[in-house]
Amino acid sequence: MTDPKMTEHTQTVLRILLGRGPDGERIPTALTHGIYGLELANLSGLPNGTLFPLLERLRRADWVERYWEDDETAEAEGRPRRRYFRLTSKGAERAPLALAHAMAEHAAEGALPRRTRHVPRAAS
């Protein structure tokens, strides 16, 4: 499968999975343990209908893996099990490069002059 499209939402989710929150704060367990779905939704600000299809596309591209936490952990905390998401080795390798490329493209687009639509002059 080809690499995922680097939309703004994809970039946001990848930064979080790489261990950087929206305000630049570190998320130390993101790379090793992963982040559970609700926490990822809260950090990204994305609604479930946007986030989970995006995660599925990243999973199909082999950039993200998902797994359920142990029953014992959830039972000890008196809650349902959480589904976690983390980057695969392929995702951890390619995501920083894809993000850097997307940032460079965005910067280049900002440097280009805006195209204006030619409006013919009215006949005098």
Side-chain angles (χ1 to χ4, degrees), residues 2-94:
T2 62
D3 287 346
K5 185 176 177 185
M6 283 296 115
T7 65
E8 287 186 42
H9 294 323
T10 302
Q11 292 173 50
T12 297
V13 169
L14 289 175
R15 281 189 200 95
I16 293 168
L17 291 172
L18 282 165
R20 290 286 175 197
D23 295 326
E25 71 274 16
R26 292 188 47 103
I27 307 169
T29 60
L31 282 169
T32 55
H33 187 65
I35 299 176
Y36 66 95
L38 180 60
E39 182 181 23
L40 191 50
N42 289 338
L43 286 168
S44 68
L46 298 174
N48 290 346
T50 299
L51 176 63
F52 289 98
L54 187 157
L55 287 167
E56 182 59 22
R57 285 191 297 277
L58 290 171
R59 190 189 69 75
R60 281 187 271 128
D62 193 32
W63 282 38
V64 168
E65 63 184 351
R66 63 184 183 205
Y67 68 95
W68 289 100
E69 74 179 333
D70 296 327
D71 288 330
E72 297 80 25
T73 303
E75 287 174 14
E77 295 182 17
R79 56 170 174 72
R81 289 189 312 160
R82 293 174 174 163
R83 178 170 263 182
Y84 281 82
F85 298 87
R86 67 177 162 216
L87 292 173
T88 61
S89 57
K90 178 181 177 180
E93 177 184 318
R94 291 193 178 176

